[in-house]
Amino acid sequence: MSTPLGLPGNLREDLQKLWDFVREVSGDDAYERYLKRHAKVHPDLEPMTRQEFFKAEQDRKWDGVTRCC
Amino acid sequence: MPRSILSKLVWLAIAVMGASAIGGIAIHRGEHINALWFIAAAAGTYLVAYRFYSAWICAKVLVLDETRATPAERFNNGRDFVPTNKWVAFGHHFAAIAGPGPLIGPTLAMQFGYLPGTLWILAGAVLGGCVQDMIIMFCSTRRDGRSLGQMARDELGPVGGWAALIGSLMIIVILIAVLGLVIVKAMKHSPWATATVLGTIPVAMLIGIYMRGIRPGRVLEGSIIGIALLLVCVWGGGVINGSESLKGYFDWNDMTCAWFVMIYGFAAAALPVWLLLAPRDYLSTFLKLGVVFMLAGAILILAPEVKMPPLTQFIDGTGPIFKGDLFPFVFITIACGAISGFHSLVSSGTTPKLLANEKEIRMIGYGSMALESFVAIMAVIAACVMEPGIYFAINSPPGVVGKEAADAVAKITSWGYPVTVEQMSALATEMGEKTLFGRVGGAPSLAVGMATIFSTTFGGKLLDMWYHFAIMFEVLFILTTLDAGTRVGRFMLQDLLKHVSKPLGDVSSYPATVVASAIFVAAWGYFLVQGVQDPLGGVNILWPLFGISNQLLAGIALTVATGILIKMGKLRYAWVTALPLTWLAIVCTTAAWQKVFSTNPAIGFLAGANDLAQKLAAGALPPEKVASAPALILGQRIDAALALLFAIILWIVIADMLRMTYRFLNGKQVQPLSEAPHSPTQLAWARD
C-alpha cells in the first residue's frame, strides 16, 4: 500500500526516483550500469576502470549525428 | 462506462480550448492579445493531435508491434545499442533535436506579424514535422537502426542514396554558416558578449579535463561546476565592459568575430572531443533544458501582452529583415519548429538504437517534435512581447533602414511602428550595450525579449545580466551545433574523399583529420564571410538558403518514408507522408525559383549579382564597397547555383520514388523492403 503523495516516506521515494532519472538521462550512472551488465554478461573478464570506460564511451558517443539545428 | 465518458468530455474540452484559442488569435484585432492565448492554442493542438492523429497513424498506418524485438534488444551491446527507459530515451532524443533553429527562425518570421508564423508552426508540426520524425524513426527501427542515407539507398536505389548524402552534407555547411553569422552579429562591438563567449572556452576545457582525468565520468558534478563558472563568465563580462582600459580588447568588428568563429570551429574539430566538444555539449544541454523550462514558467507567471500586430504590411515581400512574399518565405524561414529535415538524421541511426519497444516510437518521435514546436511558440512570444518598433530597430540591417540612428527610427516609425532614438539608447544602456540598432540574426532580439520576461518575473532588476545570460545561452549552444556539425561534416567529407584518395579518407589518421577539418571549415567559412560582407546583413542571403536546404532534407526523408509505406502495401494511407511532402515540394521549389530567378535584386541571387556588377562597372558604388564587390557578385552566383541544386536534388529523389511506385503497382521488380524479420521480444517489462 502506498501512502498518499506528500508523506515523507513517499516523498523520499519520489525524489530518489527523480534523482535516478536525472543520473540516467545525463549519463552520470553510465559506469555503474556498465559494471552491472558486465558482471552479468562477461563474469569471467576484468571490467574496464572508470577512467578507461569513460574514455571509450566518449569516443563512441561523438561518432554520429548527435545534435541538430 | 462513466470513465470513458469522462475521458471523452476531457478531450472535447481540450479540443474546444485549442480551437477557440486559435480562433481567438486569428480573428483578434485592435487591442493587445495576451500571450496565454498562444500557449492555450499550442497546448490544445499538440494534445489533440498526439492523442488522436499520432495514435491513428501508429495503429492503422505503421501498425506498431509491441511483441517485436527492437534493434536495441537484439543487438544489445551495452554501448550504442541499449534498451533504454522511455523517458530517458525521450530526454536524449529531445536534447538532440532541439537546437537554436526553433528560436531563431520564428523570431525572424515575425516581420510578417504573429499570425502566419504561429499557424504554420502549429500545423506544420502536427501534420509534418512530428509525422516525419516518428515515421523515419519507425523505418529505422524496423531496419536495425540504419541511417537515412542507408535507407534511401536500400529502398529507392543508389540515386536516392547519393541525394541524401549530398543533401545532408550541404545542409550542414549552410547551417553552420548561418549560425556562425548569428553569433557574429551578437558579438560585434559588444565587449560584454565577446568577453563572456571567450570565457566559456576555458570553462569548457576545464570541465573536459575534470571529467576525463580528475573525476572521470562524473557528469552531473562536472556540469554543475561548469554552469556555475559560466555564470561567473557572464558577470566577468560585465566587469570587463565596465572597465575603460579592458573593454577595448574585446570590441571586435564583425570580420574579426567571423575569423574567431572559424578558428574556433577548426580547433573544436581538430582537438580531441573530450577537451572541448563533449564538455561544452554537457553544459549547453543542461542550460538549454533549464532555460526552456524557465522561459515557459516565466511566460505562464507573467502572462505578457503581445504587442506585434497579427499581420504587417510586409506580407507583400518588402520586409526589412528578409525580402520575399509571405508565400513561400514564411514556410522557409520557419523550418525548425514546424518541420526540420535535420531531425531525420537523429530519428534514424541514433535514437532507434535506444528503443526498448516499438510502441515508444509514438511518444519519442511524435512527442519530442511537439515539444520542440512548443519551444518555437515561446520564441514567437518572446519576439512579439516587445514593441514592434523596437523589434524592427534591432533586426533591420543598416543597409535597409540607414546607418544613423535618427534615419533608422524615422524609417521604422514611418512604417507605423513608432520608436525613438531615446527609447533605443535607454534600452541599450539597460542591456549593457552601446547600441542595439542593426543587431540582425535574431539572437539579440530574442535575448532582449527573454531578458525582459525573466527580469520582470524575478523582480524587475539586472536586465543587463539577464540579457548577457541569454546571449551566452544562445551562443553556447550554437557553438555546440557548430562543433558537432563540423565534426559530422568532416566524417561525411572523409567518406566522400576516400573515393578520391585513400589516405584522406582515413578517419583515424591525424593529418587526414586536420586536412578534412580545414576543408570543411573553409566551406562554411566561405558562406559566413559572404554573409558578413553582405550590405543587407547576410540573413537575407543565408537564412533562406538554410531553410531551403533543411526542407530539402525533410523532402528526401518524407520521400523515403512514402516509398516504404507504399511498398508495405499502405498505398491508401501514403498521404500521411505524401501530403507534407507535396507541400514541401511546392514551397521549396517556389522559394528556390524566386531566390534564383526573381528580377528583384534583393530576392533573386542572379539579379542581385547583376545589379551589383552593373553598379560596379558604372562606378556607382561607394569606394569602401568596391573592394568587396567582386567577391559578393561571385558569391551570389554560387548561392544561385546552390539553390537550384537543392531543388533539382529534391525532384530527382521524388521522381525516383514515383518510378519505383509505378513499377511496384504494376507488379514489376523493385528494391525489396529491407525490413528486418520479426523476432519476438524477450523483454518482459516492455509488455506491461
Side-chain angles (χ1 to χ4, degrees):
Chain A
M1 284 297 284
S2 63
T3 47
L5 197 86
L7 285 186
N10 210 334
L11 183 67
R12 191 182 304 152
E13 232 171 71
D14 287 345
L15 284 178
Q16 183 65 45
K17 262 193 203 153
L18 182 70
W19 175 240
D20 290 345
F21 170 76
V22 170
R23 288 199 68 205
E24 192 179 348
V25 84
S26 64
D28 202 53
D29 67 349
Y31 184 63
E32 285 130 79
R33 275 186 288 131
Y34 159 77
L35 283 184
K36 242 197 225 162
R37 186 187 135 80
H38 190 88
K40 215 170 71 189
V41 187
H42 312 287
D44 45 326
L45 295 177
E46 192 70 16
M48 285 188 268
T49 65
R50 191 173 244 288
Q51 192 154 12
E52 284 165 352
F53 171 76
F54 191 61
K55 277 185 186 170
E57 267 302 271
Q58 257 188 347
D59 293 335
R60 177 193 64 76
K61 246 169 90 177
W62 288 98
D63 230 18
V65 180
T66 47
R67 287 295 172 259
C68 268
C69 33
Chain B
M1 270 323 260
R3 211 183 142 79
S4 84
I5 293 175
L6 183 69
S7 145
K8 274 184 189 139
L9 284 176
V10 168
W11 281 107
L12 187 69
I14 294 174
V16 168
M17 171 196 78
S20 40
I22 293 175
I25 293 172
I27 58 172
H28 183 87
R29 294 293 178 271
E31 283 303 293
H32 299 323
I33 180 168
N34 196 289
L36 292 184
W37 284 85
F38 290 72
I39 304 277
T45 308
Y46 302 139
L47 286 173
V48 169
Y50 182 78
R51 170 63 187 81
F52 297 100
Y53 190 45
S54 80
W56 177 81
I57 293 176
C58 289
K60 291 282 181 200
V61 186
L62 306 180
V63 197
L64 295 185
D65 181 355
E66 56 185 298
T67 68
R68 194 183 178 107
T70 59
E73 180 185 350
R74 286 184 291 127
F75 306 125
N76 186 353
N77 57 8
R79 299 175 63 112
D80 40 358
F81 288 93
V82 191
T84 309
N85 170 295
K86 70 173 175 178
W87 288 103
V88 172
F90 181 91
H92 280 270
H93 184 71
F94 178 69
I97 63 169
L103 295 175
I104 296 167
T107 304
L108 302 176
M110 288 308 112
Q111 75 164 359
F112 293 127
Y114 65 70
L115 191 56
T118 303
L119 293 181
W120 164 236
I121 290 170
L122 296 182
V126 299
L127 299 175
C130 297
V131 174
Q132 170 203 255
D133 291 16
M134 177 170 77
I135 296 188
I136 288 296
M137 193 179 288
F138 163 80
C139 294
S140 175
T141 305
R142 285 274 171 103
R143 284 162 185 73
D144 302 342
R146 284 199 204 114
S147 71
L148 178 70
Q150 286 169 310
M151 290 197 290
R153 207 160 42 233
D154 295 345
E155 298 288 341
L156 299 178
V159 177
W162 274 101
L165 182 66
I166 296 173
S168 317
L169 195 61
M170 284 320 301
I171 181 186
I172 297 177
V173 170
I174 300 294
L175 165 73
I176 298 179
V178 75
L179 291 180
L181 183 73
V182 171
I183 300 181
V184 166
K185 296 294 177 180
M187 279 170 60
K188 69 162 188 183
H189 296 305
S190 167
W192 192 333
T194 305
T196 304
V197 171
L198 288 178
T200 64
I201 297 170
V203 167
M205 288 180 158
L206 207 67
I207 300 307
I209 294 168
Y210 184 89
M211 287 203 231
R212 176 90 164 182
I214 304 173
R215 298 270 291 160
R218 305 285 179 188
V219 173
L220 283 177
E221 206 177 281
S223 301
I224 290 169
I225 299 174
I227 288 174
L229 290 175
L230 290 180
L231 296 178
V232 173
C233 287
V234 174
W235 170 81
V239 173
I240 287 176
N241 190 44
S243 147
E244 283 308 321
S245 53
L246 286 177
K247 82 196 254 191
Y249 295 106
F250 299 94
D251 192 344
W252 299 356
N253 66 21
D254 35 17
M255 207 42 111
T256 313
C257 294
W259 278 106
F260 158 75
V261 172
M262 285 185 275
I263 293 168
Y264 171 80
F266 175 73
L271 287 175
V273 263
W274 62 267
L275 184 57
L276 194 55
L277 208 162
R280 178 187 284 287
D281 185 67
Y282 280 120
L283 298 179
S284 77
T285 306
F286 281 112
L287 210 58
K288 171 165 75 189
L289 297 178
V291 171
V292 161
F293 286 108
M294 207 159 83
L295 188 60
I299 289 175
L300 282 177
I301 296 172
L302 196 63
E305 302 246 285
V306 163
K307 300 192 176 118
M308 184 68 75
L311 288 173
T312 67
Q313 65 269 46
F314 303 126
I315 52 175
D316 67 357
T318 58
I321 300 172
F322 56 91
K323 303 287 175 203
D325 289 344
L326 183 65
F327 177 85
F329 286 102
V330 75
F331 306 102
I332 288 295
T333 307
I334 303 178
C336 318
I339 176 165
S340 167
F342 212 130
H343 292 189
S344 60
L345 302 182
V346 174
S347 298
S348 63
T350 309
T351 306
K353 295 176 181 166
L354 300 177
L355 299 176
N357 192 292
E358 265 191 13
K359 67 179 178 187
E360 289 157 9
I361 288 174
R362 179 176 165 217
M363 179 185 105
I364 297 172
Y366 200 97
S368 292
M369 178 60 203
L371 192 58
E372 158 149 298
S373 176
F374 189 64
V375 173
I377 291 291
M378 289 198 288
V380 165
I381 294 173
C384 293
V385 294
M386 65 180 90
E387 289 293 342
I390 293 175
Y391 165 85
F392 283 113
I394 298 175
N395 283 301
S396 303
V400 174
V401 291
K403 273 207 175 71
E404 297 304 319
D407 299 339
V409 294
K411 186 130 195 186
I412 293 164
T413 305
S414 78
W415 292 331
Y417 306 110
V419 60
T420 63
V421 177
E422 293 72 39
Q423 221 178 340
M424 285 302 290
S425 30
L427 186 70
T429 312
E430 273 184 332
M431 300 291 169
E433 290 289 321
K434 218 159 40 194
T435 175
L436 287 171
F437 279 110
R439 288 212 173 266
V440 301
S445 89
L446 179 68
V448 170
M450 276 169 51
T452 314
I453 291 172
F454 283 147
S455 161
T456 319
T457 313
F458 301 109
K461 289 205 185 69
L462 297 176
L463 257 175
D464 51 353
M465 285 288 169
W466 281 114
Y467 174 82
H468 288 94
F469 170 76
I471 290 281
M472 185 271 289
F473 147 79
E474 291 171 276
V475 172
L476 191 70
F477 80 114
I478 288 181
L479 284 180
T480 307
T481 306
L482 192 140
D483 299 354
T486 303
R487 192 175 157 80
V488 169
R490 191 252 291 172
F491 281 137
M492 288 182 176
L493 189 65
Q494 285 193 296
D495 207 33
L496 283 173
L497 283 177
K498 74 173 180 231
H499 299 291
V500 187
S501 139
K502 268 254 145 56
L504 269 182
D506 181 6
V507 289
S508 58
S509 133
Y510 194 68
T513 299
V514 171
V515 172
S517 301
I519 297 176
F520 196 72
V521 171
W524 61 255
Y526 175 77
F527 291 97
L528 170 59
V529 169
Q530 189 196 358
V532 169
Q533 286 179 336
D534 175 36
L536 295 181
V539 168
N540 189 46
I541 292 180
L542 290 179
W543 195 263
L545 262 186
F546 163 61
I548 294 171
S549 66
N550 204 354
Q551 307 289 42
L552 155 77
L553 199 55
I556 293 175
L558 288 168
T559 308
V560 171
T562 309
I564 289 176
L565 288 183
I566 291 170
K567 280 200 277 181
M568 285 170 76
K570 301 280 178 186
L571 181 66
R572 57 188 280 232
Y573 296 132
W575 59 264
V576 167
T577 48
L579 190 77
L581 172 61
T582 309
W583 176 245
L584 283 191
I586 295 170
V587 164
C588 237
T589 314
T590 318
W593 182 268
Q594 291 188 9
K595 287 307 289 181
V596 176
F597 296 114
S598 166
T599 53
N600 179 345
I603 299 176
F605 289 131
L606 292 178
N610 293 341
D611 181 61
L612 204 56
Q614 271 167 16
K615 280 187 186 148
L616 183 67
L621 284 180
E624 75 273 12
K625 298 238 171 93
V626 172
S628 63
L632 273 174
I633 295 168
L634 176 67
Q636 297 241 43
R637 292 194 171 133
I638 291 177
D639 298 337
L642 212 53
L644 210 55
L645 178 74
F646 289 155
I648 290 171
I649 290 179
L650 179 59
W651 282 103
I652 288 178
V653 182
I654 293 177
D656 204 30
M657 186 268 289
L658 292 175
R659 177 194 61 88
M660 188 216 68
T661 305
Y662 176 79
R663 291 179 62 88
F664 178 76
L665 295 179
N666 286 290
K668 294 192 178 143
Q669 204 193 347
V670 294
Q671 310 257 80
L673 269 185
S674 57
E675 197 168 291
H678 181 287
S679 76
T681 178
Q682 309 291 327
L683 293 175
W685 54 272
R687 265 178 275 144
D688 60 0

